[in-house]
Amino acid sequence: MTNLYQAPTSDLLGEVVEQPKKRWKVFFWLVLVLEMLSIFGMLSEETIDVKHLLLEAVMYSFVLLGLFGFAYHKRIFVAGFWKLVLPVVMSYDAYSFATVEGLELQEVDSMMLVLVIMVILILPLLLFQYYALFRYGFRSVFIWGDRQKPES
């Protein structure tokens, strides 16, 4: 006779399996191309701010590594590293927007144009980038396995 009060057993052992999504791969390649264009744009300026260029290259190297790891389900460094990278990158982006040079916003029209471009184009890209890095560092049990447990 079968024990009706015994819990069923499973062969999966609680493993979460998720296939890489094509949209995150496309997003990774889009950010890579945009970042390369940004760096080439910095290099083509009359005066090159080496400090800003190096900081941009280092920060977005980490962003691109994280996006690649998340999009292609690869373990790069450890999950804790990406938990630290996310606020650093967010702070860097806030700093870089606050210290944009070369924009002369004396007219209301030009200021509105810059605001519209930032809200419509740049902000969604940054939000998706932050979301992907958040998921990679905090919510990717299917990538990190036993190294990271989801918080209940």
Side-chain angles (χ1 to χ4, degrees):
M1 177 173 213
T2 307
N3 185 355
L4 297 176
Y5 299 107
Q6 184 177 7
T9 58
S10 173
D11 293 334
L12 293 178
L13 299 175
E15 293 181 19
V16 179
V17 178
E18 185 174 310
Q19 297 297 321
K21 304 265 192 276
K22 288 182 183 178
R23 64 178 178 243
W24 287 114
K25 292 177 183 178
V26 169
F27 183 71
F28 163 74
W29 289 103
L30 174 68
V31 172
L32 177 67
V33 168
L34 290 175
E35 186 56 32
M36 289 174 61
L37 289 173
S38 172
I39 289 180
F40 286 136
M42 288 179 178
L43 290 172
S44 67
E45 293 176 357
E46 293 175 6
T47 59
I48 298 173
D49 184 4
V50 177
K51 181 180 111 181
H52 182 67
L53 181 67
L54 288 176
L55 194 56
E56 178 86 7
V58 168
M59 286 295 164
Y60 273 87
S61 294
F62 286 121
V63 168
L64 289 168
L65 274 174
L67 288 176
F68 176 82
F70 179 67
Y72 289 92
H73 291 196
K74 303 289 183 193
R75 291 180 184 177
I76 301 173
F77 303 122
V78 294
F81 175 78
W82 298 107
K83 292 175 183 178
L84 295 174
V85 165
L86 180 60
V88 170
V89 169
M90 291 173 80
S91 300
Y92 170 74
D93 285 337
Y95 168 77
S96 65
F97 279 122
T99 60
V100 171
E101 295 178 11
L103 291 177
E104 297 179 15
L105 303 175
Q106 286 124 5
E107 297 180 19
V108 175
D109 294 339
S110 62
M111 190 164 69
M112 289 303 293
L113 179 65
V114 168
L115 185 63
V116 166
I117 289 172
M118 287 180 66
V119 169
I120 292 177
L121 297 176
I122 298 172
L123 187 62
L125 288 174
L126 289 177
L127 290 176
F128 280 122
Q129 166 186 300
Y130 300 151
Y131 178 67
L133 290 175
F134 171 79
R135 291 232 2 235
Y136 188 52
F138 290 91
R139 300 281 184 247
S140 294
V141 177
F142 52 90
I143 296 173
W144 302 109
D146 289 340
R147 295 182 189 180
Q148 173 200 15
K149 296 287 183 191
E151 298 157 10
S152 300

